[in-house]
Coordinates of all heavy atoms in Angstrom, one line a residue:
V7 N -27.8 52.3 -46.5 CA -27.5 53.2 -47.6 C -27.8 54.7 -47.2 O -27.1 55.5 -47.6 CB -28.3 52.8 -48.9 CG1 -28.1 53.7 -50.0 CG2 -27.9 51.4 -49.3
V8 N -28.8 54.9 -46.5 CA -29.0 56.2 -46.1 C -27.8 56.8 -45.2 O -27.4 57.9 -45.4 CB -30.4 56.2 -45.2 CG1 -30.6 57.6 -44.5 CG2 -31.4 55.8 -46.0
H9 N -27.3 55.9 -44.3 CA -26.1 56.4 -43.6 C -25.0 56.7 -44.6 O -24.3 57.7 -44.4 CB -25.7 55.2 -42.7 CG -24.5 55.5 -41.8 ND1 -23.2 55.4 -42.3 CD2 -24.3 56.2 -40.7 CE1 -22.4 55.9 -41.4 NE2 -23.0 56.2 -40.3
G10 N -24.8 56.0 -45.6 CA -23.9 56.4 -46.7 C -24.1 57.7 -47.3 O -23.2 58.4 -47.6
F11 N -25.3 57.8 -47.6 CA -25.7 59.1 -48.3 C -25.2 60.4 -47.3 O -24.8 61.3 -47.8 CB -27.2 59.3 -48.4 CG -27.7 58.6 -49.5 CD1 -29.2 58.4 -49.6 CD2 -27.0 58.2 -50.7 CE1 -29.7 57.7 -50.7 CE2 -27.6 57.5 -51.7 CZ -29.0 57.3 -51.8
E12 N -25.4 60.2 -46.0 CA -25.1 61.2 -45.2 C -23.7 61.3 -44.7 O -23.2 62.3 -44.3 CB -26.0 61.1 -43.9 CG -27.4 61.2 -44.1 CD -28.3 60.9 -42.9 OE1 -27.7 60.5 -41.9 OE2 -29.5 61.0 -43.0
H13 N -23.0 60.2 -44.8 CA -21.5 60.1 -44.3 C -20.4 59.9 -45.3 O -19.3 59.7 -44.9 CB -21.5 59.1 -43.2 CG -22.4 59.5 -42.0 ND1 -23.6 59.3 -41.9 CD2 -22.0 60.4 -40.9 CE1 -24.1 59.8 -40.7 NE2 -23.2 60.5 -40.1
D14 N -20.7 59.7 -46.5 CA -19.8 59.3 -47.6 C -19.3 60.7 -48.2 O -19.9 61.3 -49.0 CB -20.4 58.6 -48.6 CG -19.5 58.3 -49.8 OD1 -18.3 58.5 -49.7 OD2 -20.0 58.1 -51.0
P15 N -18.0 61.1 -47.8 CA -17.6 62.5 -48.2 C -17.2 62.4 -49.7 O -17.2 63.5 -50.3 CB -16.3 62.7 -47.4 CG -15.9 61.4 -46.9 CD -17.1 60.5 -46.9
S16 N -17.0 61.3 -50.4 CA -16.7 61.1 -51.8 C -17.9 61.3 -52.6 O -17.8 61.8 -53.9 CB -16.1 59.8 -52.1 OG -17.1 58.9 -52.1
G17 N -19.2 61.1 -52.1 CA -20.4 61.3 -52.9 C -20.6 60.1 -53.8 O -21.5 60.1 -54.5
A18 N -19.8 59.0 -53.7 CA -19.9 57.8 -54.5 C -21.3 57.2 -54.3 O -21.9 56.7 -55.3 CB -18.9 56.8 -54.4
V19 N -21.8 57.1 -53.1 CA -23.0 56.2 -52.8 C -24.2 57.0 -53.5 O -25.0 56.5 -54.3 CB -23.3 56.2 -51.3 CG1 -24.7 55.5 -51.1 CG2 -22.2 55.3 -50.7
R20 N -24.3 58.3 -53.1 CA -25.3 59.2 -53.7 C -25.3 59.1 -55.3 O -26.2 59.0 -56.0 CB -25.1 60.6 -53.4 CG -26.3 61.5 -53.7 CD -26.3 62.9 -53.1 NE -26.4 62.8 -51.6 CZ -27.6 62.6 -51.0 NH1 -28.7 62.5 -51.6 NH2 -27.5 62.5 -49.6
A21 N -24.1 59.2 -55.9 CA -23.9 59.2 -57.3 C -24.4 57.9 -58.0 O -25.1 58.0 -59.1 CB -22.5 59.4 -57.7
A22 N -24.0 56.8 -57.3 CA -24.5 55.6 -57.9 C -26.1 55.4 -57.8 O -26.6 54.9 -58.8 CB -23.9 54.4 -57.0
Y23 N -26.8 55.9 -56.8 CA -28.1 55.7 -56.5 C -28.9 56.8 -57.4 O -30.1 56.8 -57.5 CB -28.5 55.7 -55.1 CG -28.3 54.4 -54.5 CD1 -27.1 54.1 -53.9 CD2 -29.3 53.4 -54.5 CE1 -27.0 52.8 -53.4 CE2 -29.2 52.2 -54.1 CZ -28.0 51.8 -53.5 OH -27.7 50.6 -52.9
E24 N -28.2 57.8 -57.8 CA -28.9 58.9 -58.8 C -28.9 58.3 -60.2 O -29.7 59.0 -61.0 CB -28.2 60.1 -58.6 CG -28.4 60.8 -57.3 CD -27.7 62.1 -57.2 OE1 -26.7 62.4 -58.0 OE2 -27.9 62.8 -56.2
Q25 N -28.2 57.2 -60.7 CA -28.4 56.7 -61.8 C -29.7 56.0 -61.9 O -30.3 55.5 -61.1 CB -27.2 55.7 -62.1 CG -25.7 56.3 -61.9 CD -24.7 55.2 -62.1 OE1 -24.4 54.6 -63.1 NE2 -24.2 54.7 -60.8
D26 N -30.0 55.7 -63.2 CA -31.2 55.0 -63.7 C -31.2 53.5 -63.1 O -32.2 52.9 -62.6 CB -31.5 55.0 -65.1 CG -32.1 56.4 -65.5 OD1 -32.5 57.1 -64.6 OD2 -31.9 56.8 -66.7
A27 N -29.8 53.0 -63.1 CA -29.7 51.6 -62.9 C -28.3 51.6 -62.1 O -27.4 52.2 -62.7 CB -29.9 50.6 -63.9
I28 N -28.1 50.6 -61.3 CA -26.9 50.3 -60.8 C -26.2 49.1 -61.3 O -26.9 48.1 -61.4 CB -27.0 50.1 -59.3 CG1 -27.3 51.3 -58.5 CG2 -25.6 49.5 -58.6 CD1 -27.7 51.1 -57.1
S29 N -25.0 49.1 -61.9 CA -24.3 48.1 -62.6 C -23.5 47.3 -61.6 O -23.3 47.6 -60.6 CB -23.5 48.6 -63.6 OG -22.3 49.2 -63.1
E30 N -23.2 46.1 -62.1 CA -22.2 45.2 -61.3 C -21.0 46.0 -61.0 O -20.4 45.7 -59.9 CB -21.8 43.9 -62.1 CG -22.9 43.0 -62.0 CD -22.4 41.5 -62.5 OE1 -21.3 41.0 -62.0 OE2 -23.2 41.1 -63.3
A31 N -20.4 46.8 -61.9 CA -19.2 47.7 -61.7 C -19.4 48.6 -60.5 O -18.5 49.0 -59.8 CB -18.7 48.3 -62.8
D32 N -20.6 49.0 -60.3 CA -20.9 50.1 -59.2 C -20.9 49.4 -57.9 O -20.7 50.0 -56.9 CB -22.3 50.6 -59.4 CG -22.5 51.5 -60.7 OD1 -21.5 52.1 -61.0 OD2 -23.6 51.6 -61.3
V33 N -21.1 48.1 -57.9 CA -21.2 47.5 -56.4 C -20.0 47.7 -55.6 O -20.1 48.1 -54.4 CB -21.7 46.0 -56.5 CG1 -21.7 45.4 -55.3 CG2 -23.2 46.0 -57.2
P34 N -18.8 47.2 -56.1 CA -17.7 47.4 -55.2 C -17.3 48.9 -54.9 O -16.8 49.2 -53.8 CB -16.5 46.8 -56.0 CG -16.9 46.6 -57.3 CD -18.5 46.6 -57.4
V35 N -17.7 49.7 -55.7 CA -17.4 51.2 -55.4 C -18.4 51.6 -54.4 O -18.0 52.3 -53.4 CB -17.7 52.2 -56.7 CG1 -17.8 53.6 -56.3 CG2 -16.8 51.8 -57.9
I36 N -19.7 51.2 -54.4 CA -20.6 51.6 -53.4 C -20.2 50.9 -52.0 O -20.2 51.6 -50.9 CB -22.1 51.1 -53.8 CG1 -22.5 51.9 -54.9 CG2 -22.9 51.2 -52.6 CD1 -23.8 51.4 -55.6
V37 N -20.0 49.7 -52.0 CA -19.3 48.9 -50.9 C -18.3 49.6 -50.1 O -18.1 49.8 -49.0 CB -19.1 47.4 -51.0 CG1 -18.6 46.8 -49.8 CG2 -20.6 46.7 -51.5
G38 N -17.3 49.8 -51.0 CA -16.1 50.5 -50.5 C -16.4 51.9 -49.8 O -16.0 52.4 -48.7
A39 N -17.3 52.7 -50.5 CA -17.7 54.0 -49.9 C -18.4 53.8 -48.7 O -18.2 54.5 -47.7 CB -18.5 54.8 -51.0
L40 N -19.4 52.9 -48.6 CA -20.1 52.5 -47.3 C -19.2 52.2 -46.2 O -19.2 52.5 -45.0 CB -21.1 51.5 -47.6 CG -22.3 51.9 -48.4 CD1 -23.2 50.7 -48.8 CD2 -23.1 52.9 -47.7
E41 N -18.1 51.3 -46.5 CA -17.1 50.9 -45.5 C -16.3 52.2 -45.1 O -16.1 52.2 -43.8 CB -16.3 49.8 -46.1 CG -16.9 48.5 -46.2 CD -16.1 47.4 -47.0 OE1 -15.0 47.7 -47.5 OE2 -16.6 46.3 -47.0
R42 N -15.9 52.9 -46.0 CA -15.1 54.1 -45.5 C -15.9 55.1 -44.8 O -15.4 55.8 -43.9 CB -14.5 54.8 -46.9 CG -13.2 54.1 -47.4 CD -12.7 54.8 -48.6 NE -13.5 55.1 -49.6 CZ -13.9 54.3 -50.5 NH1 -13.5 53.0 -50.6 NH2 -14.7 54.5 -51.7
A43 N -17.2 55.1 -44.9 CA -18.2 56.1 -44.3 C -18.4 55.5 -42.8 O -19.1 56.2 -42.1 CB -19.3 56.3 -45.1
G44 N -18.1 54.1 -42.5 CA -18.4 53.7 -41.2 C -19.6 53.1 -41.2 O -20.2 52.8 -40.0
T45 N -20.4 52.8 -42.3 CA -21.8 52.3 -42.3 C -21.8 50.8 -41.6 O -22.8 50.6 -40.9 CB -22.3 52.4 -43.8 OG1 -22.3 53.6 -44.2 CG2 -23.7 51.7 -43.9
P46 N -20.9 50.0 -41.8 CA -21.1 48.6 -41.3 C -20.9 48.8 -39.7 O -21.8 48.1 -39.1 CB -19.8 47.9 -41.8 CG -19.6 48.5 -43.0 CD -19.8 50.0 -42.9
E47 N -20.1 49.6 -39.2 CA -20.0 49.7 -37.7 C -21.3 50.4 -37.2 O -21.8 50.0 -36.1 CB -18.9 50.7 -37.4 CG -17.5 49.8 -37.7 CD -17.0 50.1 -39.1 OE1 -17.7 50.8 -40.0 OE2 -16.2 49.2 -39.4
F48 N -21.8 51.4 -38.0 CA -23.0 52.2 -37.6 C -24.3 51.2 -37.5 O -24.9 51.0 -36.4 CB -23.4 53.3 -38.5 CG -24.7 53.8 -38.3 CD1 -24.9 54.8 -37.2 CD2 -25.8 53.5 -39.0 CE1 -26.2 55.3 -37.0 CE2 -27.1 54.0 -38.9 CZ -27.4 54.9 -37.8
V49 N -24.4 50.3 -38.5 CA -25.5 49.3 -38.5 C -25.3 48.3 -37.5 O -26.2 47.9 -36.7 CB -25.6 48.6 -40.0 CG1 -26.4 47.5 -40.0 CG2 -25.8 49.7 -41.0
R50 N -24.0 47.8 -37.2 CA -23.8 46.8 -36.2 C -24.1 47.4 -34.9 O -24.8 46.6 -34.1 CB -22.4 46.3 -36.2 CG -22.2 45.1 -35.5 CD -20.7 44.4 -35.7 NE -20.5 44.2 -37.1 CZ -19.7 44.9 -38.1 NH1 -18.9 45.8 -37.6 NH2 -19.6 44.5 -39.3
D51 N -23.7 48.7 -34.7 CA -24.1 49.3 -33.4 C -25.6 49.5 -33.1 O -26.1 49.2 -32.0 CB -23.4 50.7 -33.2 CG -21.8 50.5 -33.0 OD1 -21.3 49.4 -32.9 OD2 -21.2 51.6 -33.2
Q52 N -26.3 49.8 -34.1 CA -27.7 50.0 -34.1 C -28.5 48.7 -33.8 O -29.4 48.6 -33.0 CB -28.3 50.6 -35.4 CG -27.9 52.0 -35.7 CD -28.7 52.8 -34.7 OE1 -28.2 53.2 -33.6 NE2 -29.8 53.4 -35.0
A53 N -27.9 47.6 -34.5 CA -28.6 46.2 -34.3 C -28.2 45.8 -32.9 O -29.2 45.3 -32.3 CB -27.9 45.2 -35.3
A54 N -27.1 45.9 -32.3 CA -26.7 45.7 -30.9 C -27.6 46.5 -30.0 O -28.2 45.8 -29.0 CB -25.3 45.9 -30.7
R55 N -27.8 47.8 -30.2 CA -28.7 48.5 -29.3 C -30.2 48.0 -29.4 O -30.8 47.9 -28.3 CB -28.7 50.0 -29.7 CG -29.4 50.9 -28.8 CD -29.4 52.3 -29.3 NE -30.1 52.4 -30.6 CZ -31.3 52.5 -30.9 NH1 -32.3 52.3 -29.9 NH2 -31.8 52.6 -32.1
L56 N -30.6 47.8 -30.6 CA -32.1 47.2 -30.7 C -32.3 45.8 -30.1 O -33.2 45.5 -29.6 CB -32.5 47.2 -32.1 CG -32.6 48.7 -32.7 CD1 -32.8 48.6 -34.3 CD2 -33.7 49.5 -32.0
T57 N -31.2 45.0 -30.3 CA -31.3 43.7 -29.8 C -31.2 43.8 -28.2 O -32.0 43.0 -27.6 CB -30.0 42.8 -30.2 OG1 -30.1 42.7 -31.7 CG2 -30.0 41.4 -29.6
A58 N -30.5 44.6 -27.7 CA -30.4 44.8 -26.2 C -31.8 45.3 -25.7 O -32.2 44.9 -24.7 CB -29.4 45.8 -25.7
D59 N -32.4 46.2 -26.4 CA -33.7 46.7 -26.0 C -34.8 45.5 -26.1 O -35.6 45.5 -25.2 CB -34.3 47.9 -27.1 CG -33.5 49.1 -26.9 OD1 -32.7 49.4 -25.9 OD2 -33.6 50.0 -27.8
A60 N -34.6 44.8 -27.3 CA -35.6 43.6 -27.3 C -35.4 42.6 -26.2 O -36.3 42.1 -25.6 CB -35.4 43.0 -28.7
D61 N -34.1 42.4 -25.9 CA -33.9 41.5 -24.7 C -34.5 42.0 -23.3 O -35.1 41.3 -22.6 CB -32.3 41.4 -24.5 CG -32.0 40.2 -23.7 OD1 -32.7 39.2 -23.7 OD2 -31.0 40.4 -22.7
R62 N -34.4 43.3 -23.2 CA -34.9 43.8 -22.0 C -36.5 43.8 -21.9 O -37.2 43.5 -21.0 CB -34.6 45.4 -21.7 CG -33.2 45.5 -21.2 CD -33.1 47.0 -20.9 NE -32.9 47.8 -22.0 CZ -31.9 48.0 -22.8 NH1 -30.8 47.3 -22.6 NH2 -31.9 48.9 -23.8
I63 N -37.1 43.9 -23.1 CA -38.6 43.7 -23.2 C -39.1 42.3 -23.0 O -40.0 42.0 -22.4 CB -39.1 44.2 -24.6 CG1 -38.8 45.8 -24.8 CG2 -40.4 43.8 -24.9 CD1 -39.0 46.3 -26.1
L64 N -38.2 41.4 -23.6 CA -38.6 40.0 -23.4 C -38.6 39.6 -21.8 O -39.4 38.7 -21.5 CB -37.4 39.0 -24.0 CG -37.5 38.8 -25.5 CD1 -36.2 38.0 -26.0 CD2 -38.7 38.1 -25.8
A65 N -37.9 40.3 -21.1 CA -37.9 40.0 -19.6 C -39.2 40.3 -18.9 O -39.6 39.7 -18.0 CB -36.9 40.9 -18.9
D66 N -40.0 41.0 -19.7 CA -41.4 41.4 -19.2 C -42.5 40.3 -19.5 O -43.6 40.3 -19.1 CB -41.8 42.7 -19.7 CG -41.0 43.8 -19.1 OD1 -40.4 43.7 -18.1 OD2 -41.1 44.9 -19.8
F67 N -42.1 39.5 -20.4 CA -43.1 38.3 -21.0 C -42.8 37.0 -20.3 O -41.5 36.6 -20.2 CB -42.9 38.2 -22.5 CG -43.4 39.5 -23.2 CD1 -42.6 40.5 -23.6 CD2 -44.8 39.6 -23.5 CE1 -43.1 41.6 -24.2 CE2 -45.3 40.8 -24.2 CZ -44.5 41.8 -24.5
E68 N -43.8 36.2 -20.2 CA -43.7 34.9 -19.6 C -43.6 34.1 -20.9 O -44.6 33.8 -21.5 CB -44.9 34.6 -18.7 CG -44.9 35.2 -17.4 CD -46.1 34.9 -16.5 OE1 -46.6 33.6 -16.7 OE2 -46.6 35.6 -15.7
L69 N -42.4 33.6 -21.1 CA -42.2 32.7 -22.3 C -41.4 31.5 -21.8 O -40.7 31.6 -20.9 CB -41.3 33.5 -23.3 CG -41.8 34.6 -24.1 CD1 -40.7 35.3 -24.9 CD2 -42.9 34.2 -25.0
P70 N -41.6 30.5 -22.4 CA -40.9 29.2 -22.2 C -39.4 29.4 -22.5 O -39.1 30.2 -23.4 CB -41.3 28.2 -23.1 CG -42.7 28.6 -23.5 CD -42.8 30.2 -23.4
E71 N -38.5 29.0 -21.6 CA -37.1 29.3 -21.8 C -36.6 28.9 -23.1 O -35.7 29.7 -23.8 CB -36.2 28.6 -20.7 CG -34.8 29.2 -20.6 CD -34.7 30.8 -20.5 OE1 -35.6 31.2 -19.8 OE2 -33.9 31.3 -21.1
P72 N -37.0 27.8 -23.8 CA -36.5 27.6 -25.2 C -36.9 28.7 -26.2 O -36.0 29.1 -27.1 CB -37.2 26.3 -25.6 CG -37.5 25.7 -24.2 CD -37.7 26.8 -23.2
A73 N -38.0 29.3 -26.1 CA -38.4 30.4 -27.0 C -37.5 31.6 -26.6 O -37.1 32.2 -27.6 CB -40.0 30.6 -26.7
R74 N -37.4 31.9 -25.4 CA -36.6 33.1 -25.0 C -35.1 33.0 -25.5 O -34.6 33.8 -26.1 CB -36.5 33.2 -23.5 CG -36.0 34.5 -23.1 CD -36.0 34.6 -21.5 NE -37.2 34.2 -20.9 CZ -38.3 35.2 -20.7 NH1 -38.0 36.4 -21.2 NH2 -39.5 34.9 -20.3
T75 N -34.7 31.8 -25.4 CA -33.3 31.5 -25.9 C -33.2 31.6 -27.4 O -32.2 32.2 -28.0 CB -32.8 30.0 -25.3 OG1 -32.8 30.0 -23.9 CG2 -31.4 29.7 -25.9
A76 N -34.2 31.0 -28.0 CA -34.2 31.2 -29.6 C -34.3 32.7 -30.1 O -33.5 32.9 -30.9 CB -35.4 30.3 -30.1
L77 N -35.1 33.4 -29.3 CA -35.2 34.8 -29.7 C -33.8 35.5 -29.5 O -33.4 36.4 -30.3 CB -36.3 35.5 -29.1 CG -37.6 35.0 -29.5 CD1 -38.7 35.5 -28.4 CD2 -38.0 35.5 -30.8
R78 N -33.2 35.2 -28.4 CA -31.9 35.9 -28.0 C -30.9 35.4 -29.1 O -30.0 36.1 -29.6 CB -31.5 35.5 -26.6 CG -32.3 36.2 -25.6 CD -31.7 36.0 -24.2 NE -32.5 36.8 -23.3 CZ -32.8 36.3 -22.2 NH1 -32.6 35.1 -21.7 NH2 -33.6 37.2 -21.3
A79 N -30.9 34.1 -29.5 CA -29.9 33.6 -30.5 C -30.1 34.3 -31.8 O -29.2 34.6 -32.5 CB -30.2 32.1 -30.7
I80 N -31.5 34.6 -32.3 CA -31.7 35.3 -33.3 C -31.1 36.7 -33.4 O -30.4 37.2 -34.3 CB -33.2 35.4 -33.8 CG1 -33.7 34.0 -34.1 CG2 -33.5 36.3 -35.0 CD1 -35.2 33.9 -34.2
G81 N -31.3 37.5 -32.4 CA -30.7 38.9 -32.2 C -29.1 38.7 -32.2 O -28.6 39.5 -32.9
A82 N -28.6 37.8 -31.5 CA -27.1 37.6 -31.6 C -26.5 37.3 -33.0 O -25.6 37.9 -33.4 CB -26.7 36.5 -30.6
Y83 N -27.3 36.4 -33.7 CA -26.9 36.2 -35.0 C -26.9 37.4 -36.0 O -25.9 37.7 -36.6 CB -27.8 35.1 -35.7 CG -27.6 35.0 -37.1 CD1 -26.5 34.2 -37.7 CD2 -28.6 35.5 -37.9 CE1 -26.3 34.2 -39.0 CE2 -28.3 35.5 -39.4 CZ -27.3 34.8 -39.9 OH -27.1 34.7 -41.2
L84 N -28.0 38.2 -35.8 CA -28.1 39.4 -36.6 C -27.0 40.3 -36.3 O -26.6 41.1 -37.2 CB -29.5 39.9 -36.4 CG -30.6 39.2 -37.0 CD1 -32.0 39.8 -36.6 CD2 -30.5 39.0 -38.5
V85 N -26.5 40.5 -35.1 CA -25.6 41.4 -34.7 C -24.1 41.0 -35.1 O -23.4 41.7 -35.6 CB -25.6 41.8 -33.2 CG1 -24.4 42.6 -32.8 CG2 -26.9 42.5 -32.9
E86 N -23.9 39.7 -34.9 CA -22.5 39.1 -35.1 C -22.3 38.5 -36.4 O -21.1 38.3 -36.7 CB -22.3 38.1 -33.9 CG -22.5 38.6 -32.6 CD -22.6 37.6 -31.5 OE1 -22.4 36.3 -31.9 OE2 -22.8 37.8 -30.5
R87 N -23.2 38.4 -37.3 CA -22.9 37.7 -38.6 C -22.0 38.7 -39.5 O -22.1 39.9 -39.3 CB -24.2 37.4 -39.2 CG -24.9 38.7 -39.8 CD -26.2 38.3 -40.5 NE -26.9 39.6 -40.8 CZ -27.8 39.6 -41.8 NH1 -28.0 38.7 -42.5 NH2 -28.4 40.7 -42.0
D88 N -21.4 38.1 -40.4 CA -20.7 38.9 -41.4 C -21.6 39.3 -42.5 O -22.1 38.5 -43.2 CB -19.5 37.9 -41.9 CG -18.4 37.8 -41.0 OD1 -18.2 38.6 -40.0 OD2 -17.7 36.8 -41.0
N89 N -21.8 40.6 -42.6 CA -22.5 41.2 -43.6 C -23.8 40.4 -43.8 O -24.3 40.0 -44.8 CB -21.8 41.3 -44.9 CG -20.6 42.4 -44.8 OD1 -20.7 43.3 -44.1 ND2 -19.5 42.1 -45.5

């Protein structure tokens, strides 16, 4: 959402969050504004970068291979999942 505040030229994200409450009708407006602002791609790129960093850090630890594989699978899932 912070990315949307900074990159949504329409101001829809900020306007929605400045209300006392967000309604069901606001949700598609917010989601659309976030998509147009490139937020999903930004988040996916950040997750991929952090997952790669974690993978490099894992190389420094002596872990059983099943544990290492499971941790890598969690990272991959978080990056590749749909929303």
Side-chain angles (χ1 to χ4, degrees):
V7 173
V8 172
H9 182 273
F11 281 164
E12 295 175 358
H13 295 90
D14 168 27
S16 73
V19 175
R20 186 172 300 278
Y23 279 89
E24 287 175 347
Q25 300 177 76
D26 289 334
I28 295 173
S29 71
E30 275 189 54
D32 293 325
V33 174
V35 174
I36 295 167
V37 170
L40 291 172
E41 287 174 348
R42 287 187 298 280
T45 301
E47 294 81 9
F48 171 79
V49 170
R50 199 170 296 112
D51 290 347
Q52 289 291 88
R55 184 183 59 77
L56 292 171
T57 299
D59 289 349
D61 195 42
R62 283 189 292 279
I63 292 168
L64 276 175
D66 293 338
F67 291 95
E68 290 184 29
L69 292 172
E71 193 53 40
R74 188 180 310 278
T75 300
L77 289 169
R78 285 184 176 135
I80 291 168
Y83 167 76
L84 293 172
V85 172
E86 297 167 7
R87 71 184 176 147
D88 289 332
N89 298 326

